């Protein structure tokens, strides 16, 4: 598929529109950096354009996917390096698809999605904790989800979960075959099969194996074992969610249902979302 915009226009767009905040770029050198955008590589190393981008979705499990992919010796390793970048905000950005296409129309896109209602709650939880840390006032999730007795569909966390709308935007610039969707719910409960599919999509030799994962009872999630080290994701990943009022949750789910159906048609695939 040919990009709609020529590369030259891409640079014009670059100049006029700030890119969505890249929360981390994956080279091995970058992986240990904070998610604060400070990505200058250490002396003697360099940053190169990614072969693949994890485009989102925010709170879909992007960090877990990135760290699990990093187990693979050919991901972000020397010589035959495949660099992967993660920028969760891309999926919901209206500008990102055309800009990425102009940069590299054959780039392989990875998209990790989870149940969109759960994603809304996860999104709320992240903002809630950020606000607490910054001593800002917080609201109950129901106060954000409901306005004047009806579902507040303008709430950003809901907007980000309208996967069909965002996907349509990407499919204007990339063929479906170039976008691999990782099931974020499956990645939580059984990461290996999802990782094997990603290996195949990236044409990588199969190197990630079951012993690379172990379930950590305390964390309640799978953690990673590689290079003789064991590590779990940061404590901000996998936090308990608030219990949402069942009527409000039902309202949210029924609003999302039609969007989910449209999304399934677009990607010619269904997901086990309630
Ligand atoms: P919660 O913290 O709401 O549970 P992202 O990295 O895109 O922000 O996504 C965060 C989500 O990744 C977490 O949301 C969590 O559910 C999910 N996740 C998937 N696999 C995980 C793992 N092995 N450890 C921790 N969180 C994981």
């Amino acid at each position: 598929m040919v990009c709609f915009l020529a590369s030259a226009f891409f640079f014009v767009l670059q100049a006029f529109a700030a890119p969505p905040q890249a929360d981390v770029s994956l080279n091995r050198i970058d992986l240990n950096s904070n998610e604060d955008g400070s990505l200058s590589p250490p002396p003697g190393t360099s940053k190169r354009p990614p072969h693949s981008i994890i485009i989102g979705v925010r709170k879909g499990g992007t960090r877990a996917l990135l760290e699990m992919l990093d187990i693979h010796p050919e991901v972000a390793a020397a010589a035959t390096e495949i660099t992967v970048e993660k920028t969760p905000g891309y999926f919901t950005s209206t500008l990102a698809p055309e800009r990425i296409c102009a940069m590299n129309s054959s780039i392989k896109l990875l998209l990790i999605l989870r149940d969109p209602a759960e994603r809304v709650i996860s999104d709320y939880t992240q903002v809630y904790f950020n606000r607490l840390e910054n001593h800002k006032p917080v609201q109950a999730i129901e106060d954000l989800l409901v306005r004047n007795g009806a579902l507040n569909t303008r709430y950003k966390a809901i907007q980000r979960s309208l996967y069909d709308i965002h996907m349509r935007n990407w499919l204007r610039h990339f063929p479906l075959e170039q976008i691999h969707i990782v099931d974020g719910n499956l990645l939580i409960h059984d990461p290996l099969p999802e990782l094997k599919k990603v290996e195949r999509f990236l044409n990588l030799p199969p190197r990630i194996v079951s012993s690379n994962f172990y379930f950590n009872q305390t964390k309640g999630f799978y953690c990673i074992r590689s290079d003789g080290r064991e590590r779990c994701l940061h404590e901000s990943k996998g936090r308990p969610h608030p219990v949402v009022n069942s009527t409000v949750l039902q309202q949210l789910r029924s609003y999302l249902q039609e969007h989910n159906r449209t999304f399934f048609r677009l990607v010619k695939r269904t997901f086990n979302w309630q």
Side-chain angles (χ1 to χ4, degrees):
M1 180 175 286
V2 179
C3 297
F4 283 10
L5 297 177
S7 301
F9 192 27
F10 167 69
F11 290 111
V12 174
L13 279 172
Q14 282 260 66
F16 285 98
Q21 180 75 45
D23 84 345
V24 72
S25 167
L26 173 67
N27 285 255
R28 184 167 306 280
I29 46 172
D30 289 331
L31 192 65
N32 296 324
S33 64
N34 295 324
E35 295 196 8
D36 64 356
S38 55
L39 295 174
S40 42
T45 63
S46 63
K47 214 159 155 326
R48 46 190 96 177
H51 294 73
S52 178
I53 299 183
I54 300 172
I55 57 172
V57 64
R58 175 183 152 119
K59 304 317 293 172
T62 54
R63 167 57 61 178
L65 176 59
L66 183 71
E67 298 220 358
M68 289 173 179
L69 260 183
D70 186 53
I71 294 168
H72 198 290
E74 288 185 25
V75 170
T80 54
E81 179 171 315
I82 289 208
T83 51
V84 181
E85 178 188 300
K86 147 173 138 59
T87 309
Y90 278 158
F91 180 56
T92 55
S93 152
T94 47
L95 278 180
E98 63 193 33
R99 292 170 58 191
I100 291 170
C101 185
M103 177 186 75
N104 178 0
S105 62
S106 58
I107 195 162
K108 295 192 174 199
L109 303 173
L110 290 169
L111 171 63
I112 177 162
L113 298 176
R114 72 198 287 192
D115 180 317
E118 276 172 31
R119 202 218 64 81
V120 170
I121 301 167
S122 175
D123 201 324
Y124 163 84
T125 307
Q126 171 165 306
V127 174
Y128 175 90
F129 279 104
N130 286 348
R131 292 185 70 87
L132 275 190
E133 276 162 27
N134 293 308
H135 309 288
K136 290 185 177 165
V138 289
Q139 284 176 282
I141 187 167
E142 290 83 358
D143 295 340
L144 294 162
L145 286 172
V146 179
R147 277 277 152 83
N148 306 321
L151 190 72
N152 176 18
T153 57
R154 295 172 69 93
Y155 178 31
K156 272 196 183 144
I158 296 184
Q159 291 283 321
R160 291 190 196 105
S161 277
L162 306 181
Y163 298 159
D164 58 328
I165 292 176
H166 308 304
M167 194 67 189
R168 219 185 278 281
N169 195 22
W170 282 89
L171 290 174
R172 284 195 193 101
H173 301 274
F174 292 94
L176 185 56
E177 306 73 58
Q178 223 169 302
I179 308 173
H180 177 74
I181 303 172
V182 176
D183 186 324
N185 292 78
L186 291 183
L187 192 87
I188 290 175
H189 300 294
D190 189 11
L192 185 63
E194 287 307 292
L195 268 299
K196 303 304 286 173
K197 288 178 215 162
V198 176
E199 279 182 332
R200 282 196 292 275
F201 174 69
L202 296 177
N203 290 325
L204 291 168
R207 293 285 183 273
I208 304 176
V209 293
S210 59
S211 58
N212 286 130
F213 305 102
Y214 66 97
F215 190 79
N216 183 303
Q217 294 290 350
T218 316
K219 175 125 182 118
F221 282 86
Y222 276 94
C223 298
I224 296 166
R225 187 187 292 119
S226 85
D227 300 329
R229 283 194 311 132
E230 291 188 345
R231 62 182 192 280
C232 296
L233 262 59
H234 186 261
E235 62 181 18
S236 64
K237 307 293 179 182
R239 276 190 289 223
H241 291 173
V243 178
V244 183
N245 172 285
S246 57
T247 314
V248 176
L249 185 59
Q250 194 43 48
Q251 273 179 294
L252 174 64
R253 288 202 180 279
S254 45
Y255 174 70
L256 292 170
Q257 213 162 46
E258 196 48 45
H259 286 280
N260 292 346
R261 283 200 204 104
T262 310
F263 176 77
F264 296 161
R265 276 197 298 276
L266 280 177
V267 299
K268 303 184 174 74
R269 183 177 160 190
T270 56
F271 289 80
N272 195 14
W273 302 332
Q274 292 171 35

